[in-house]
């Protein structure tokens, strides 16, 4: 994979007006309710003293890391990085172990805690829209161009150019350039990323290398974990089906499959 050909986002917190059209677009695109959408908001809250008040926000979704910790932590290949660098998720392979949630330094993979058979929720960069020549729904919908999408290297160059052209407007930091070994989503902001509520890490090398030694470098361990987790997951799946059948029987509702 050549990094020059991977996609990227540039998210500019100075342009975001917190309208949340990007969240709605993602919800519609993925046909999921808003509480299970793959994007949410980070922000400062209200700062300063009246009438000199300030507040900054920015949408937050998978960073599509260059060396993704989540992929290296997943023992069953439910998370994969394709040749464009996009990190995708296959719910048919997922065994619900949630290792990816612990591995991701950006706290991105979300678990459907309220679902009987819960799965992971994660941005796939609208890979189906890209295949048809489109833009990710969130970027295409933003009315202020706070979310830009293009080639990764172009987005990174634009981030630095905006800071250079208006140093009074931005802190001198492109978030995502080095975090976790580098990502495909870059942020620029008028205030520090700590104030924006973004995870702060001094780690500029992804722990994926070490994860791989554990999960993929020791096949026997990986296989044992996968088999154990698959067994547990299938047991939960069976229990969920039994519970559902019992509930339907007590409700007197007909079985949908009959
Ligand atoms: S659509 Fe654009 S302006 Fe509105 S919340 Fe999302 S990023 Fe901010
Ligand atoms: S941000 Fe987290 S979920 Fe997304 S690719 Fe990186 S490690 Fe994986
Ligand atoms: S790229 Fe697509 S899946 Fe990812 S946050 Fe944007 S709209 Fe949602």
């Amino acid at each position: 994979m050549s990094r020059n050909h991977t996609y990227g986002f540039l998210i500019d917190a100075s342009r975001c007006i917190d309208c949340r059209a990007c969240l709605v677009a993602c919800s519609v695109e993925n046909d999921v309710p808003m509480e299970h959408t793959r994007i949410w908001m980070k922000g400062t809250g209200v700062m300063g003293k009246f009438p000199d008040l300030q507040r900054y926000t920015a949408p937050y979704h998978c960073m599509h890391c260059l060396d993704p910790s989540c992929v290296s932590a997943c023992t069953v290949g439910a998370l994969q990085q394709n040749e464009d660098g996009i990190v995708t998720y296959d719910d048919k392979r997922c065994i619900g172990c949630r290792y990816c949630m612990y591995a991701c330094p950006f706290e991105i993979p979300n678990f459907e805690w309220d679902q009987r058979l819960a799965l992971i929720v994660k941005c796939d960069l609208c890979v189906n829209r890209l295949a048809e020549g489109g833009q990710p729904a969130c970027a295409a919908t933003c009315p202020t161009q706070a979310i830009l999408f293009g080639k990764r290297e172009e987005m990174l160059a634009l981030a630095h150019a905006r800071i250079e052209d208006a140093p009074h407007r931005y802190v001198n930091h492109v978030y995502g350039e080095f975090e976790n070994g580098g990502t495909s989503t870059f942020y620029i902001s008028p205030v520090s990323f700590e104030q924006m509520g973004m995870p702060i890490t001094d780690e500029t090398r992804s722990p994926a290398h070490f994860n791989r030694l554990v999960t993929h470098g020791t096949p026997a361990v990986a296989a044992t974990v996968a088999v154990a987790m698959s067994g547990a997951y299938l047991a939960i799946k069976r229990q969920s089906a039994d519970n559902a059948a019992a509930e339907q029987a007590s409700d007197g509702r007909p079985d949908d499959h009959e």
Side-chain angles (χ1 to χ4, degrees), residues 146-240:
I147 311 174
L148 293 179
F149 178 77
K151 294 287 184 207
R152 178 182 183 274
E153 298 307 320
E154 289 173 10
M155 294 296 105
L156 181 57
L158 183 58
H160 280 290
R162 282 194 182 172
I163 292 174
E164 206 169 302
D165 290 349
H168 54 284
R169 185 169 176 168
Y170 300 105
V171 294
N172 189 18
H173 180 180
V174 177
Y175 187 92
E177 182 174 12
F178 299 114
E179 279 80 4
N180 200 32
T183 79
S184 302
T185 304
F186 305 113
Y187 287 84
I188 52 176
S189 165
V191 294
S192 75
F193 293 101
E194 198 166 16
Q195 287 175 286
M196 287 295 291
M198 316 268 285
I200 302 301
T201 171
D202 292 334
E203 192 53 73
T204 54
R205 184 177 178 191
S206 168
H209 169 71
F210 303 106
N211 291 347
R212 274 191 293 272
L213 291 179
V214 175
T215 57
H216 301 285
T218 52
V221 173
T224 306
V225 169
V227 167
M229 295 305 296
S230 297
Y233 193 68
L234 288 172
I236 294 167
K237 206 172 185 178
R238 267 197 304 274
Q239 184 65 51
S240 295

Side-chain angles (χ1 to χ4, degrees), residues 7-27 37-42 57-64 123 125-126 129-130 134-151 154-156 158-159 162 169-170 184-189 196 198:
Y7 297 109
F9 285 101
L10 172 56
I11 298 177
D12 186 337
S14 76
R15 298 188 179 211
C16 177
I17 56 172
D18 199 19
C19 68
R20 307 197 176 200
C22 49
L23 275 66
V24 175
C26 183
S27 165
T37 198
R38 285 116 170 95
I39 180 172
W40 59 99
M41 300 301 291
K42 290 283 189 188
T57 55
Y60 191 65
H61 57 60
C62 176
M63 303 286 285
H64 295 276
C123 157
L125 219 152
C126 282
R129 287 173 67 98
L130 295 187
Q135 289 244 331
C138 52
T141 305
C142 177
T144 63
Q145 284 81 53
I147 311 174
L148 293 179
F149 178 77
K151 294 287 184 207
E154 289 173 10
M155 294 296 105
L156 181 57
L158 183 58
R162 282 194 182 172
R169 185 169 176 168
Y170 300 105
S184 302
T185 304
F186 305 113
Y187 287 84
I188 52 176
S189 165
M196 287 295 291
M198 316 268 285

Side-chain angles (χ1 to χ4, degrees), residues 12 36 96-97 157 159:
D12 186 337
H36 288 166
C97 69

